[in-house]
Coordinates of all heavy atoms in Angstrom, one line a residue:
M1 N -0.5 9.5 2.3 CA -1.1 8.2 2.1 C -1.2 7.9 0.6 O -1.8 8.7 -0.1 CB -2.5 8.1 2.7 CG -2.5 8.1 4.2 SD -4.1 7.9 4.9 CE -4.6 9.6 5.1
K2 N -0.8 6.7 0.2 CA -0.8 6.4 -1.2 C -2.3 6.0 -1.7 O -2.5 5.9 -2.8 CB 0.1 5.2 -1.5 CG 1.5 5.5 -1.4 CD 2.4 4.3 -1.7 CE 3.9 4.6 -1.6 NZ 4.7 3.5 -1.9
A3 N -3.2 5.8 -0.7 CA -4.5 5.5 -1.0 C -5.3 6.7 -1.6 O -6.4 6.5 -2.2 CB -5.3 5.0 0.2
I4 N -4.8 7.9 -1.5 CA -5.5 9.1 -1.9 C -4.6 9.7 -3.0 O -3.5 10.0 -2.8 CB -5.6 10.1 -0.8 CG1 -6.4 9.4 0.4 CG2 -6.3 11.3 -1.2 CD1 -6.5 10.2 1.7
R5 N -5.3 9.9 -4.2 CA -4.5 10.6 -5.3 C -5.5 11.5 -6.1 O -6.6 11.1 -6.3 CB -3.9 9.6 -6.2 CG -4.8 8.5 -6.8 CD -4.0 7.3 -7.2 NE -4.9 6.3 -7.8 CZ -5.7 5.5 -7.1 NH1 -5.7 5.6 -5.8 NH2 -6.5 4.6 -7.7
G6 N -4.9 12.6 -6.4 CA -5.7 13.6 -7.2 C -5.8 13.2 -8.7 O -4.9 12.6 -9.2
V7 N -7.0 13.5 -9.3 CA -7.2 13.3 -10.7 C -7.8 14.6 -11.2 O -8.1 15.5 -10.4 CB -8.1 12.1 -11.0 CG1 -7.4 10.8 -10.7 CG2 -9.4 12.2 -10.3
E8 N -8.1 14.7 -12.5 CA -8.5 16.0 -13.1 C -9.7 16.6 -12.4 O -9.7 17.8 -12.2 CB -8.8 15.7 -14.6 CG -9.1 17.0 -15.3 CD -9.2 16.8 -16.8 OE1 -8.4 16.0 -17.4 OE2 -10.1 17.4 -17.4
D9 N -10.7 15.8 -12.2 CA -12.0 16.4 -11.6 C -12.3 16.0 -10.2 O -13.4 16.1 -9.8 CB -13.2 16.1 -12.6 CG -13.3 14.6 -12.8 OD1 -12.4 13.8 -12.4 OD2 -14.4 14.2 -13.3
G10 N -11.3 15.6 -9.4 CA -11.5 15.2 -8.1 C -10.4 14.4 -7.5 O -9.2 14.6 -7.8
V11 N -10.7 13.5 -6.6 CA -9.8 12.7 -5.9 C -10.3 11.2 -5.8 O -11.4 11.0 -5.6 CB -9.6 13.2 -4.4 CG1 -8.7 12.3 -3.6 CG2 -9.1 14.6 -4.4
L12 N -9.3 10.3 -6.1 CA -9.6 8.9 -5.9 C -9.1 8.4 -4.6 O -8.0 8.8 -4.2 CB -8.9 8.1 -7.1 CG -9.4 8.4 -8.5 CD1 -8.6 7.5 -9.5 CD2 -10.9 8.1 -8.7
V13 N -9.9 7.6 -3.9 CA -9.6 7.1 -2.6 C -9.8 5.5 -2.6 O -10.9 5.1 -2.9 CB -10.4 7.7 -1.5 CG1 -10.0 7.1 -0.1 CG2 -10.4 9.2 -1.5
D14 N -8.7 4.8 -2.4 CA -8.8 3.3 -2.3 C -9.2 3.0 -0.9 O -8.5 3.4 0.1 CB -7.4 2.7 -2.7 CG -7.0 3.0 -4.1 OD1 -7.9 3.0 -4.9 OD2 -5.8 3.2 -4.3
I15 N -10.2 2.2 -0.7 CA -10.7 1.8 0.6 C -10.9 0.2 0.7 O -11.0 -0.4 -0.4 CB -12.1 2.4 0.9 CG1 -13.2 2.0 -0.1 CG2 -11.9 3.9 1.0 CD1 -14.6 2.5 0.3
E16 N -10.9 -0.2 1.9 CA -11.2 -1.6 2.2 C -12.3 -1.6 3.2 O -12.2 -1.0 4.2 CB -10.0 -2.4 2.7 CG -10.3 -3.9 2.9 CD -9.1 -4.8 2.8 OE1 -8.0 -4.3 2.4 OE2 -9.3 -6.0 3.1
V17 N -13.4 -2.4 2.9 CA -14.6 -2.3 3.7 C -14.8 -3.5 4.6 O -14.6 -4.6 4.1 CB -15.8 -2.1 2.7 CG1 -17.1 -2.0 3.5 CG2 -15.7 -1.0 1.8
S18 N -15.2 -3.2 5.8 CA -15.6 -4.3 6.8 C -17.1 -4.1 7.1 O -17.4 -3.1 7.8 CB -14.8 -4.2 8.0 OG -13.4 -4.5 7.8
P19 N -18.0 -4.9 6.5 CA -19.4 -4.7 6.8 C -19.8 -5.3 8.1 O -19.1 -6.0 8.7 CB -20.0 -5.4 5.6 CG -19.0 -6.4 5.2 CD -17.7 -5.9 5.5
G20 N -21.0 -4.9 8.5 CA -21.6 -5.5 9.7 C -21.1 -4.9 11.0 O -21.2 -5.5 12.0
S21 N -20.6 -3.7 11.0 CA -20.1 -3.1 12.2 C -21.2 -2.4 12.9 O -22.3 -2.3 12.4 CB -19.0 -2.1 11.8 OG -18.5 -1.4 12.9
S22 N -20.9 -1.9 14.1 CA -21.9 -1.2 14.9 C -22.2 0.2 14.3 O -23.2 0.8 14.7 CB -21.5 -1.1 16.3 OG -20.3 -0.4 16.4
G23 N -21.4 0.7 13.5 CA -21.6 2.0 12.9 C -20.5 2.3 11.9 O -19.5 1.6 11.7
F24 N -20.6 3.4 11.2 CA -19.6 3.8 10.2 C -18.4 4.4 10.9 O -18.6 5.3 11.8 CB -20.2 4.9 9.2 CG -19.2 5.4 8.2 CD1 -19.0 4.7 7.0 CD2 -18.5 6.5 8.5 CE1 -18.0 5.1 6.1 CE2 -17.5 7.0 7.5 CZ -17.3 6.3 6.4
S25 N -17.2 4.0 10.5 CA -16.0 4.7 10.9 C -14.9 4.4 10.0 O -14.9 3.5 9.2 CB -15.6 4.1 12.3 OG -15.2 2.8 12.3
I26 N -14.0 5.4 10.0 CA -12.7 5.2 9.2 C -11.7 4.7 10.2 O -11.3 5.5 11.1 CB -12.3 6.5 8.6 CG1 -13.4 7.0 7.6 CG2 -10.9 6.4 7.9 CD1 -13.1 8.3 6.9
S27 N -11.3 3.5 10.2 CA -10.6 2.9 11.3 C -9.1 3.1 11.2 O -8.4 3.3 12.2 CB -10.9 1.4 11.4 OG -10.7 0.7 10.2
S28 N -8.5 2.9 10.0 CA -7.0 3.0 9.9 C -6.6 3.1 8.4 O -7.4 3.0 7.5 CB -6.4 1.9 10.5 OG -6.7 0.7 9.9
Y29 N -5.3 3.3 8.2 CA -4.7 3.2 6.9 C -3.8 2.0 6.9 O -3.0 1.8 7.8 CB -3.8 4.5 6.7 CG -3.0 4.4 5.4 CD1 -3.6 4.3 4.1 CD2 -1.6 4.3 5.4 CE1 -2.9 4.2 3.0 CE2 -0.9 4.2 4.3 CZ -1.5 4.1 3.1 OH -0.8 4.0 1.9
N30 N -4.0 1.1 5.9 CA -3.2 -0.1 5.8 C -2.1 0.2 4.8 O -2.3 0.2 3.6 CB -4.1 -1.2 5.3 CG -3.4 -2.6 5.3 OD1 -2.2 -2.6 5.0 ND2 -4.1 -3.6 5.6
P31 N -0.8 0.3 5.3 CA 0.3 0.7 4.4 C 0.7 -0.5 3.5 O 1.3 -0.2 2.4 CB 1.4 1.0 5.4 CG 1.1 0.4 6.6 CD -0.4 0.3 6.7
W32 N 0.4 -1.7 3.8 CA 0.7 -2.8 3.0 C -0.2 -2.9 1.8 O 0.2 -3.3 0.7 CB 0.7 -4.2 3.8 CG 1.7 -4.2 4.8 CD1 3.0 -4.4 4.7 CD2 1.5 -3.9 6.2 NE1 3.7 -4.3 5.9 CE2 2.8 -4.0 6.9 CE3 0.4 -3.5 7.0 CZ2 3.0 -3.8 8.2 CZ3 0.6 -3.3 8.3 CH2 1.9 -3.4 8.9
R33 N -1.5 -2.7 2.0 CA -2.4 -2.7 0.9 C -2.7 -1.3 0.3 O -3.4 -1.2 -0.7 CB -3.8 -3.3 1.4 CG -3.7 -4.7 1.8 CD -5.0 -5.3 2.1 NE -4.9 -6.7 2.4 CZ -5.8 -7.4 2.9 NH1 -7.0 -6.9 3.2 NH2 -5.6 -8.7 3.1
N34 N -2.1 -0.3 0.9 CA -2.3 1.1 0.4 C -3.8 1.4 0.3 O -4.3 1.9 -0.7 CB -1.6 1.3 -0.9 CG -0.1 1.3 -0.8 OD1 0.4 1.8 0.2 ND2 0.6 0.7 -1.7
R35 N -4.5 1.1 1.4 CA -6.0 1.3 1.4 C -6.4 1.9 2.8 O -5.8 1.5 3.8 CB -6.8 0.0 1.1 CG -6.6 -0.5 -0.3 CD -7.5 -1.6 -0.6 NE -7.4 -1.9 -2.0 CZ -8.0 -1.3 -3.0 NH1 -8.8 -0.3 -2.8 NH2 -7.8 -1.6 -4.3
I36 N -7.4 2.7 2.8 CA -8.0 3.2 4.0 C -9.1 2.2 4.4 O -9.9 1.8 3.6 CB -8.6 4.6 3.8 CG1 -7.4 5.5 3.5 CG2 -9.4 5.0 5.0 CD1 -7.8 6.8 2.9
E37 N -9.0 1.7 5.6 CA -9.9 0.7 6.1 C -11.1 1.4 6.8 O -10.9 2.3 7.6 CB -9.2 -0.2 7.1 CG -8.1 -1.0 6.5 CD -7.4 -1.9 7.5 OE1 -7.4 -1.6 8.7 OE2 -6.7 -2.8 7.0
I38 N -12.3 1.0 6.3 CA -13.5 1.6 6.9 C -14.4 0.5 7.4 O -14.4 -0.6 6.9 CB -14.2 2.5 5.9 CG1 -14.8 1.7 4.7 CG2 -13.3 3.6 5.4 CD1 -15.8 2.5 3.9
R39 N -15.3 0.9 8.3 CA -16.3 -0.1 8.9 C -17.6 0.5 8.6 O -17.8 1.8 8.7 CB -16.1 -0.2 10.4 CG -14.8 -0.9 10.7 CD -14.7 -1.2 12.2 NE -13.5 -2.0 12.4 CZ -12.6 -1.7 13.2 NH1 -12.7 -0.7 14.0 NH2 -11.5 -2.5 13.4
I40 N -18.6 -0.3 8.2 CA -19.9 0.2 7.9 C -20.9 -0.8 8.5 O -20.7 -1.9 8.9 CB -20.2 0.2 6.3 CG1 -20.0 -1.2 5.7 CG2 -19.3 1.2 5.7 CD1 -20.5 -1.2 4.3
R41 N -22.2 -0.2 8.7 CA -23.2 -1.0 9.4 C -23.8 -2.0 8.4 O -24.1 -3.1 8.8 CB -24.4 0.0 9.8 CG -24.1 0.8 11.0 CD -25.3 1.6 11.4 NE -25.7 2.8 10.8 CZ -24.9 3.8 10.4 NH1 -23.7 3.8 10.5 NH2 -25.4 4.9 9.9
S42 N -24.0 -1.6 7.2 CA -24.7 -2.4 6.2 C -24.0 -3.7 5.8 O -22.8 -3.8 5.9 CB -25.0 -1.6 4.9 OG -25.7 -0.4 5.2
I43 N -24.8 -4.7 5.4 CA -24.2 -5.9 4.9 C -24.2 -5.8 3.3 O -25.0 -5.0 2.8 CB -25.0 -7.1 5.3 CG1 -26.5 -7.0 4.9 CG2 -24.9 -7.3 6.8 CD1 -27.3 -8.3 5.1
P44 N -23.3 -6.5 2.7 CA -23.2 -6.4 1.2 C -24.3 -7.1 0.5 O -24.1 -8.2 0.0 CB -21.8 -6.9 0.9 CG -21.5 -7.9 2.1 CD -22.2 -7.3 3.3
Q45 N -25.5 -6.5 0.5 CA -26.6 -7.2 -0.1 C -27.5 -6.1 -0.8 O -27.8 -5.1 -0.3 CB -27.4 -7.8 1.0 CG -28.6 -8.7 0.5 CD -29.3 -9.3 1.7 OE1 -29.5 -8.7 2.8 NE2 -29.6 -10.6 1.6
R46 N -27.7 -6.4 -2.1 CA -28.5 -5.5 -2.9 C -28.0 -4.0 -3.0 O -28.8 -3.1 -3.0 CB -30.0 -5.5 -2.5 CG -30.6 -6.9 -2.8 CD -32.1 -6.8 -2.6 NE -32.6 -8.0 -2.1 CZ -33.2 -8.2 -0.9 NH1 -33.4 -7.2 -0.1 NH2 -33.5 -9.4 -0.6
G47 N -26.7 -3.8 -2.9 CA -26.2 -2.5 -3.0 C -26.3 -1.7 -1.7 O -25.9 -0.5 -1.7
K48 N -26.7 -2.2 -0.6 CA -26.9 -1.5 0.6 C -25.5 -0.9 1.1 O -25.4 0.2 1.6 CB -27.5 -2.3 1.7 CG -29.0 -2.7 1.5 CD -29.5 -3.5 2.6 CE -30.9 -4.0 2.3 NZ -31.4 -5.0 3.3
A49 N -24.5 -1.8 1.1 CA -23.2 -1.3 1.6 C -22.7 -0.2 0.7 O -22.1 0.8 1.2 CB -22.2 -2.5 1.6
N50 N -22.8 -0.3 -0.6 CA -22.3 0.7 -1.5 C -23.0 2.1 -1.3 O -22.4 3.1 -1.2 CB -22.4 0.3 -2.9 CG -21.4 -0.8 -3.3 OD1 -20.4 -1.0 -2.6 ND2 -21.7 -1.5 -4.4
K51 N -24.3 2.0 -1.0 CA -25.1 3.2 -0.8 C -24.7 3.8 0.5 O -24.6 5.1 0.6 CB -26.6 2.8 -0.7 CG -27.2 2.5 -2.0 CD -28.7 2.1 -1.9 CE -29.2 1.7 -3.3 NZ -30.5 1.1 -3.2
E52 N -24.4 3.0 1.6 CA -23.9 3.6 2.8 C -22.6 4.3 2.6 O -22.4 5.4 3.2 CB -23.8 2.5 3.9 CG -23.4 3.1 5.2 CD -23.3 2.1 6.3 OE1 -23.7 0.9 6.2 OE2 -22.7 2.4 7.4
I53 N -21.7 3.7 1.9 CA -20.4 4.3 1.7 C -20.5 5.6 1.0 O -19.9 6.6 1.4 CB -19.5 3.3 0.8 CG1 -19.1 2.1 1.7 CG2 -18.2 4.0 0.3 CD1 -18.6 0.9 0.9
I54 N -21.3 5.6 -0.1 CA -21.5 6.9 -0.8 C -22.1 8.0 0.1 O -21.7 9.1 0.1 CB -22.4 6.6 -2.1 CG1 -21.6 5.8 -3.1 CG2 -22.8 8.0 -2.7 CD1 -22.4 5.3 -4.2
Q55 N -23.1 7.6 0.8 CA -23.8 8.5 1.7 C -22.9 9.1 2.7 O -22.8 10.3 3.0 CB -25.0 7.9 2.3 CG -25.8 8.8 3.3 CD -26.9 8.1 4.0 OE1 -27.3 7.0 3.6 NE2 -27.5 8.7 5.0
E56 N -22.1 8.2 3.4 CA -21.2 8.7 4.5 C -20.1 9.6 4.0 O -19.8 10.6 4.6 CB -20.7 7.5 5.2 CG -21.7 6.7 6.0 CD -22.3 7.4 7.2 OE1 -21.7 8.4 7.7 OE2 -23.3 7.0 7.8
F57 N -19.5 9.2 2.9 CA -18.4 10.0 2.3 C -18.9 11.3 1.8 O -18.3 12.3 1.9 CB -17.6 9.2 1.3 CG -16.5 8.4 1.9 CD1 -16.7 7.1 2.1 CD2 -15.3 9.0 2.2 CE1 -15.7 6.3 2.7 CE2 -14.3 8.2 2.8 CZ -14.4 6.9 3.0
S58 N -20.2 11.3 1.2 CA -20.8 12.6 0.8 C -21.0 13.5 2.0 O -20.8 14.7 1.9 CB -22.1 12.3 0.1 OG -21.9 11.7 -1.1
T59 N -21.5 13.0 3.1 CA -21.7 13.7 4.3 C -20.4 14.3 4.9 O -20.4 15.5 5.3 CB -22.4 12.9 5.4 OG1 -23.7 12.4 4.8 CG2 -22.7 13.6 6.6
I60 N -19.4 13.5 4.9 CA -18.1 13.9 5.5 C -17.5 15.0 4.7 O -16.9 16.0 5.2 CB -17.1 12.7 5.6 CG1 -17.6 11.7 6.6 CG2 -15.7 13.1 5.8 CD1 -16.9 10.3 6.5
T61 N -17.5 14.8 3.3 CA -16.8 15.8 2.5 C -17.6 16.9 1.9 O -17.1 17.9 1.4 CB -16.2 15.0 1.3 OG1 -17.2 14.4 0.5 CG2 -15.2 13.9 1.7
H62 N -19.0 16.8 2.0 CA -19.9 17.7 1.4 C -19.7 17.8 -0.1 O -19.8 18.9 -0.7 CB -19.7 19.1 2.0 CG -19.9 19.1 3.5 ND1 -21.1 18.9 4.1 CD2 -19.0 19.2 4.5 CE1 -20.9 18.9 5.4 NE2 -19.6 19.1 5.7
K63 N -19.3 16.7 -0.7 CA -19.1 16.6 -2.2 C -19.8 15.4 -2.7 O -20.2 14.5 -2.0 CB -17.6 16.4 -2.5 CG -16.7 17.5 -1.9 CD -16.9 18.8 -2.6 CE -15.9 19.9 -2.1 NZ -16.2 21.2 -2.7
E64 N -20.0 15.4 -4.1 CA -20.5 14.2 -4.8 C -19.5 13.1 -4.7 O -18.3 13.3 -4.9 CB -20.9 14.6 -6.2 CG -21.5 13.5 -7.0 CD -21.7 13.8 -8.4 OE1 -21.6 15.0 -8.8 OE2 -22.0 12.9 -9.2
V65 N -20.0 11.9 -4.5 CA -19.1 10.7 -4.4 C -19.7 9.6 -5.2 O -20.9 9.4 -5.3 CB -19.0 10.3 -2.9 CG1 -18.2 9.0 -2.8 CG2 -18.4 11.3 -2.0
E66 N -18.8 8.8 -5.9 CA -19.3 7.7 -6.6 C -18.2 6.6 -6.5 O -17.0 6.8 -6.3 CB -19.6 8.0 -8.1 CG -18.4 7.8 -9.0 CD -18.8 8.0 -10.5 OE1 -19.5 9.0 -10.8 OE2 -18.4 7.2 -11.3
I67 N -18.7 5.3 -6.5 CA -17.8 4.2 -6.5 C -17.3 3.9 -8.0 O -18.2 3.7 -8.8 CB -18.4 2.9 -5.9 CG1 -18.7 3.2 -4.4 CG2 -17.5 1.7 -6.0 CD1 -19.5 2.2 -3.7
V68 N -16.0 3.9 -8.2 CA -15.6 3.8 -9.6 C -15.1 2.4 -9.9 O -15.0 1.9 -11.0 CB -14.5 4.8 -10.0 CG1 -15.1 6.2 -10.0 CG2 -13.3 4.8 -9.1
S69 N -14.7 1.6 -8.8 CA -14.3 0.2 -9.0 C -14.5 -0.6 -7.8 O -14.5 0.0 -6.7 CB -12.9 0.1 -9.5 OG -12.0 0.4 -8.5
G70 N -14.8 -1.9 -7.9 CA -14.9 -2.8 -6.8 C -16.4 -2.8 -6.2 O -16.6 -3.1 -5.1
H71 N -17.3 -2.7 -7.1 CA -18.7 -2.6 -6.7 C -19.1 -3.9 -5.9 O -20.0 -3.8 -5.0 CB -19.7 -2.4 -7.9 CG -19.6 -1.1 -8.4 ND1 -18.7 -0.7 -9.4 CD2 -20.3 0.0 -8.2 CE1 -18.8 0.5 -9.7 NE2 -19.8 1.0 -9.0
K72 N -18.5 -5.0 -6.2 CA -18.9 -6.3 -5.5 C -17.7 -6.8 -4.8 O -17.6 -8.0 -4.5 CB -19.4 -7.3 -6.6 CG -20.7 -6.9 -7.2 CD -21.2 -7.9 -8.2 CE -22.5 -7.4 -8.7 NZ -23.4 -8.5 -9.1
S73 N -16.8 -6.0 -4.4 CA -15.6 -6.4 -3.6 C -15.5 -5.6 -2.3 O -16.1 -4.5 -2.2 CB -14.4 -6.1 -4.5 OG -13.2 -6.3 -3.8
R74 N -14.7 -6.1 -1.4 CA -14.4 -5.3 -0.2 C -13.4 -4.2 -0.5 O -13.3 -3.3 0.2 CB -13.9 -6.2 0.9 CG -14.9 -7.1 1.5 CD -14.3 -8.0 2.6 NE -15.3 -8.9 3.1 CZ -15.6 -8.9 4.4 NH1 -15.0 -8.2 5.3 NH2 -16.6 -9.8 4.8
Q75 N -12.6 -4.4 -1.5 CA -11.7 -3.4 -2.0 C -12.3 -2.6 -3.1 O -12.6 -3.1 -4.1 CB -10.4 -4.1 -2.4 CG -9.7 -4.8 -1.3 CD -8.3 -5.4 -1.7 OE1 -8.0 -5.5 -2.9 NE2 -7.5 -5.7 -0.7
K76 N -12.4 -1.3 -2.8 CA -13.1 -0.4 -3.7 C -12.3 0.9 -3.9 O -11.4 1.2 -3.1 CB -14.5 0.1 -3.1 CG -15.4 -1.1 -2.8 CD -16.7 -0.6 -2.1 CE -17.6 -1.7 -1.7 NZ -18.1 -2.6 -2.8
T77 N -12.6 1.6 -5.0 CA -12.1 2.9 -5.2 C -13.2 3.8 -5.4 O -14.1 3.6 -6.2 CB -11.2 2.9 -6.5 OG1 -10.1 2.0 -6.3 CG2 -10.6 4.3 -6.7
I78 N -13.2 4.9 -4.6 CA -14.3 5.9 -4.7 C -13.7 7.2 -5.3 O -12.5 7.4 -5.1 CB -15.0 6.2 -3.3 CG1 -14.0 6.7 -2.3 CG2 -15.7 4.9 -2.8 CD1 -14.6 7.2 -1.0
K79 N -14.5 7.9 -5.9 CA -14.1 9.2 -6.5 C -14.9 10.3 -5.8 O -16.2 10.2 -5.7 CB -14.4 9.2 -8.0 CG -13.9 10.5 -8.6 CD -14.1 10.4 -10.1 CE -13.3 11.5 -10.8 NZ -13.3 11.3 -12.3
I80 N -14.2 11.3 -5.3 CA -14.8 12.4 -4.6 C -14.6 13.6 -5.6 O -13.5 14.0 -5.9 CB -14.2 12.7 -3.2 CG1 -14.3 11.4 -2.4 CG2 -14.9 13.9 -2.6 CD1 -13.5 11.5 -1.1
F81 N -15.7 14.2 -6.1 CA -15.6 15.2 -7.1 C -15.4 16.6 -6.5 O -15.7 16.9 -5.4 CB -16.9 15.2 -7.9 CG -17.1 14.0 -8.8 CD1 -17.8 12.9 -8.3 CD2 -16.7 14.0 -10.0 CE1 -18.0 11.8 -9.0 CE2 -16.8 12.9 -10.8 CZ -17.5 11.7 -10.3
D82 N -14.8 17.4 -7.3 CA -14.6 18.9 -7.1 C -13.9 19.1 -5.7 O -14.3 20.0 -4.9 CB -15.9 19.6 -7.1 CG -16.7 19.4 -8.4 OD1 -16.0 19.5 -9.4 OD2 -17.9 19.3 -8.4
T83 N -12.8 18.4 -5.5 CA -12.0 18.7 -4.3 C -10.5 18.4 -4.7 O -10.2 18.0 -5.8 CB -12.5 17.8 -3.1 OG1 -11.8 18.2 -2.0 CG2 -12.2 16.3 -3.4
V84 N -9.6 18.6 -3.7 CA -8.2 18.4 -3.9 C -7.7 17.3 -2.9 O -8.2 17.1 -1.9 CB -7.4 19.7 -3.8 CG1 -7.7 20.6 -5.0 CG2 -7.6 20.4 -2.5
E85 N -6.6 16.7 -3.3 CA -6.0 15.7 -2.5 C -5.7 16.1 -1.1 O -5.9 15.4 -0.1 CB -4.7 15.2 -3.2 CG -4.0 14.0 -2.6 CD -2.8 13.6 -3.4 OE1 -2.7 14.0 -4.6 OE2 -2.0 12.9 -2.9
N86 N -5.1 17.3 -0.9 CA -4.7 17.8 0.5 C -5.9 17.8 1.4 O -5.9 17.5 2.6 CB -4.0 19.1 0.4 CG -2.7 19.0 -0.2 OD1 -2.1 17.9 -0.3 ND2 -2.1 20.1 -0.7
E87 N -7.1 18.3 0.8 CA -8.3 18.4 1.7 C -8.8 17.1 2.1 O -9.1 16.9 3.3 CB -9.3 19.2 0.8 CG -10.6 19.4 1.6 CD -10.5 20.3 2.7 OE1 -9.6 21.1 2.9 OE2 -11.5 20.3 3.6
I88 N -8.8 16.1 1.2 CA -9.3 14.8 1.6 C -8.3 14.1 2.5 O -8.8 13.4 3.5 CB -9.5 13.9 0.3 CG1 -10.6 14.6 -0.6 CG2 -9.9 12.5 0.7 CD1 -11.9 14.9 0.0
N89 N -7.0 14.3 2.3 CA -6.0 13.8 3.3 C -6.3 14.3 4.7 O -6.3 13.5 5.7 CB -4.6 14.2 2.8 CG -3.8 13.1 2.3 OD1 -3.8 12.0 2.9 ND2 -3.0 13.3 1.3
R90 N -6.5 15.6 4.8 CA -6.8 16.2 6.1 C -8.1 15.6 6.7 O -8.1 15.3 7.9 CB -6.9 17.7 6.0 CG -7.1 18.4 7.3 CD -7.4 19.9 7.1 NE -8.7 20.1 6.4 CZ -9.9 20.0 6.9 NH1 -10.0 19.5 8.1 NH2 -10.9 20.2 6.1
I91 N -9.1 15.6 6.0 CA -10.4 15.1 6.5 C -10.3 13.6 7.0 O -10.7 13.3 8.1 CB -11.5 15.1 5.4 CG1 -11.9 16.6 5.1 CG2 -12.7 14.4 5.8 CD1 -12.7 16.8 3.9
I92 N -9.6 12.8 6.2 CA -9.5 11.4 6.6 C -8.6 11.2 7.8 O -8.9 10.4 8.7 CB -9.1 10.5 5.4 CG1 -10.3 10.4 4.4 CG2 -8.6 9.1 5.8 CD1 -10.0 9.7 3.1
K93 N -7.5 11.9 7.8 CA -6.6 11.8 9.0 C -7.3 12.3 10.3 O -7.1 11.7 11.3 CB -5.3 12.7 8.8 CG -4.3 12.0 7.8 CD -3.1 12.8 7.7 CE -2.1 12.2 6.7 NZ -1.0 13.0 6.4
D94 N -8.1 13.3 10.2 CA -8.9 13.8 11.4 C -9.9 12.7 11.8 O -10.3 12.7 13.0 CB -9.6 15.1 11.0 CG -8.7 16.3 10.9 OD1 -7.5 16.1 11.3 OD2 -9.1 17.3 10.5
L95 N -10.4 11.9 10.9 CA -11.5 10.9 11.3 C -11.0 9.5 11.6 O -11.8 8.7 12.1 CB -12.5 10.8 10.1 CG -13.3 12.1 9.8 CD1 -14.1 11.9 8.6 CD2 -14.2 12.4 11.0
I96 N -9.7 9.2 11.4 CA -9.2 7.9 11.7 C -9.3 7.7 13.2 O -8.8 8.5 14.0 CB -7.8 7.7 11.2 CG1 -7.8 7.6 9.7 CG2 -7.2 6.4 11.9 CD1 -6.4 7.4 9.1
S97 N -10.1 6.6 13.6 CA -10.3 6.4 15.0 C -9.4 5.3 15.6 O -8.8 4.5 14.9 CB -11.8 6.0 15.2 OG -12.2 4.9 14.4

């Protein structure tokens, strides 16, 4: 998946967010946009959606996560620290519903 790429201190993951869902899920990989599509419960208000994204990815990967771009956009890039591309690829493929 082109949405996942390794960097010096972790992995960058390009995501597209659909807020207002019944729960968090990683729904699919969009090959045209090269983004992983995720659904979240929170609405994009006062950082609630960003907090949910960080919390859920931290729980899934057991790593520190931060949003590096797209704080006010549906298209975001998150950074997962202290891991490798292959591990994140495996985790996300296992979770795509």
Side-chain angles (χ1 to χ4, degrees):
M1 286 186 273
K2 291 182 181 179
I4 301 170
R5 57 199 178 284
V7 292
E8 186 175 320
D9 55 347
V11 175
L12 296 177
V13 182
D14 296 324
I15 61 173
E16 183 153 353
V17 181
S18 294
S21 179
S22 61
F24 177 86
S25 68
I26 298 174
S27 57
S28 64
Y29 172 69
N30 185 325
W32 295 280
R33 293 187 177 168
N34 292 322
R35 293 192 175 273
I36 295 166
E37 297 176 340
I38 67 167
R39 294 186 174 128
I40 60 171
R41 286 185 280 317
S42 301
I43 57 172
Q45 187 177 43
R46 293 190 213 118
K48 291 178 186 175
N50 289 342
K51 287 177 187 171
E52 182 180 347
I53 292 165
I54 290 168
Q55 179 184 349
E56 292 291 344
F57 274 97
S58 293
T59 301
I60 291 167
T61 62
H62 305 287
K63 303 289 182 186
E64 181 184 348
V65 176
E66 90 177 48
I67 296 174
V68 294
S69 70
H71 290 88
K72 295 185 178 209
S73 171
R74 287 180 183 236
Q75 295 184 343
K76 303 178 185 297
T77 300
I78 61 171
K79 185 174 194 176
I80 304 169
F81 291 90
D82 301 322
T83 190
V84 292
E85 186 177 343
N86 290 341
E87 180 67 15
I88 300 305
N89 250 321
R90 182 190 61 74
I91 291 169
I92 289 177
K93 283 181 182 177
D94 288 347
L95 292 173
I96 289 178
S97 52

